[in-house]
Amino acid sequence: MLNEVERWLSTRSWSVTDRPLHKIMAAKRATGQTVSVVLPALNEEATVGEIVAIIRHDLMQQVPLVDEIVVVDSGSTDRTSQVAAAAGAKVVHRDEILPRIPTVPGKGEVLWRSLLVTTGDIVCFVDADLKEFSSDFVSGIVGPLLTDPGVDLVKAMYDRPLGSAAGQGGRVTELMARPLLNMHWPQLAGFVQPLGGEYAARRSLLEQLPFPVGYGVELGMLVDALHLVGLDALAQVDVGVRKHRHQDGQALGRMSAAIYRTAQLRLARGHLIRPVLTQFERGEQGFEPRTHSVDMEERPPMVEIAEYMKRRAA
């Protein structure tokens, strides 16, 4: 491991217990910074309500750490929006944000648009499919941004059990993202969960980043943030255990292809080779090919969007 990464691990990797809530709140009062929590959601009625309710109870009612919770519905066909609203979140449909630019499917698309409907100086992203959720996920990753002005982005790190097997989750991380980072961006090799959906960042950083519209958003954000603000402005916090709904193998393949394409663009910004992925399913006539397009579109930094800059200037 690079000496720089070893040093970073000792100075920028923390536990949620390193910053008690009362110290985080003291820093929030002293700096006057505001915090927005964003949950991108697509058909998550089973889990989104509890996550919102816990954040509201622990971090808005008991202590005023979070200033707003926004659920951005990515086109759900179930009761995700109703459940989230009933739990106390502000719910916005993806298509209602920046209607001048037609939406495309993808998680990164929703995160990018969320900057237009949130106001916090710090924006905290939390996946909406988490089970047995703890508000430590939010306070843990927001804490360093409030207490340390030199930190611009914080990722959560955690154990990811796969069923009853401990530590076997994060298959795309281990098979695709970690090898890519170690080979091409070794400064980022110290991140335990580089693809994790729980992270917080300063708006001043997020608004300068391009957003891959799909599953490549987390890797793209890490790589771009490294180039923009440097390794020491990035950090991670151990928040325990993350339990969530797992994808099947083919979905993981599509995620991997999008992540690889995101890396490829950042390595070369070169010619388009073949932005599709063919997978196979057994049918009546044997194995049948199914071809999927790979997310390759990216949204520009939000500071290039006139509507965002007009709102910021207001």
Side-chain angles (χ1 to χ4, degrees):
M1 183 177 288
L2 292 175
N3 289 337
E4 184 179 8
V5 176
E6 291 184 349
R7 177 194 57 78
W8 179 84
L9 281 169
S10 66
T11 61
R12 285 293 186 265
S13 291
W14 298 296
S15 167
V16 67
T17 59
D18 290 337
R19 289 175 178 80
L21 198 52
H22 68 89
K23 290 188 176 180
I24 297 173
M25 287 305 305
K28 177 178 167 70
R29 288 189 292 269
T31 61
Q33 295 178 91
T34 54
V35 177
S36 299
V37 175
V38 173
L39 279 73
L42 177 63
N43 295 329
E44 302 294 357
E45 67 174 337
T47 50
V48 68
E50 182 177 3
I51 296 171
V52 170
I54 290 172
I55 296 172
R56 277 188 56 81
H57 176 268
D58 293 359
L59 303 180
M60 295 182 82
Q61 296 170 347
Q62 288 198 333
V63 296
L65 176 63
V66 172
D67 297 280
E68 63 177 350
I69 306 174
V70 178
V71 171
V72 183
D73 192 324
S74 188
S76 299
T77 56
D78 65 1
R79 298 182 64 254
T80 291
S81 289
Q82 297 92 317
V83 170
K90 173 185 176 182
V91 179
V92 185
H93 195 281
R94 170 197 64 192
D95 296 346
E96 299 171 357
I97 307 169
L98 198 61
R100 174 176 64 84
I101 300 177
T103 58
V104 295
K107 179 183 180 182
E109 175 83 351
V110 171
L111 300 184
W112 181 71
R113 290 177 186 266
S114 76
L115 297 181
L116 268 163
V117 292
T118 53
T119 60
D121 302 307
I122 294 168
V123 183
C124 174
F125 299 116
V126 176
D127 281 350
D129 66 342
L130 301 188
K131 303 174 182 177
E132 301 179 25
F133 177 77
S134 167
S135 59
D136 284 348
F137 274 69
V138 174
S139 59
I141 56 179
V142 167
L145 294 164
L146 290 169
T147 60
D148 190 334
V151 174
D152 287 325
L153 185 150
V154 183
K155 297 278 293 189
M157 57 177 168
Y158 33 65
D159 296 312
R160 293 184 66 179
L162 180 61
S164 59
Q168 297 301 307
R171 291 162 288 172
V172 176
T173 292
E174 301 303 331
L175 296 174
M176 176 59 70
R178 199 177 307 285
L180 282 172
L181 293 175
N182 276 265
M183 288 187 290
H184 300 299
W185 296 280
Q187 287 178 295
L188 298 174
F191 277 94
V192 175
Q193 298 292 351
L195 300 185
E198 290 68 49
Y199 49 98
R202 300 191 190 280
R203 178 176 294 272
S204 57
L205 171 62
L206 293 172
E207 65 187 14
Q208 298 183 68
L209 299 177
F211 277 60
V213 299
Y215 286 117
V217 63
E218 275 84 23
L219 182 133
M221 190 176 294
L222 266 187
V223 171
D224 293 340
L226 173 68
H227 292 310
L228 192 62
V229 297
L231 182 60
D232 283 342
L234 313 179
Q236 61 185 351
V237 173
D238 187 349
V239 296
V241 178
R242 182 188 198 267
K243 296 182 180 179
H244 64 112
R245 171 175 45 81
H246 292 283
Q247 305 278 1
D248 62 31
Q250 294 213 339
L252 297 180
R254 295 190 290 275
M255 293 169 63
S256 297
I259 290 162
Y260 180 78
R261 178 59 179 158
T262 299
Q264 181 189 48
L265 286 171
R266 278 152 180 78
L267 285 168
R269 299 288 177 181
H271 298 291
L272 188 63
I273 299 175
R274 186 176 181 267
V276 296
L277 173 70
T278 299
Q279 298 176 314
F280 295 88
E281 296 179 6
R282 185 182 291 279
E284 294 181 0
Q285 305 300 320
F287 283 103
E288 300 174 355
R290 300 284 187 271
T291 299
H292 307 269
S293 61
V294 175
D295 295 319
M296 61 181 184
E297 186 172 356
E298 297 195 359
R299 294 306 191 188
M302 192 58 81
V303 290
E304 297 178 13
I305 301 298
E307 290 90 336
Y308 180 82
M309 296 304 293
K310 181 179 179 181
R311 193 203 69 163
R312 195 172 74 163

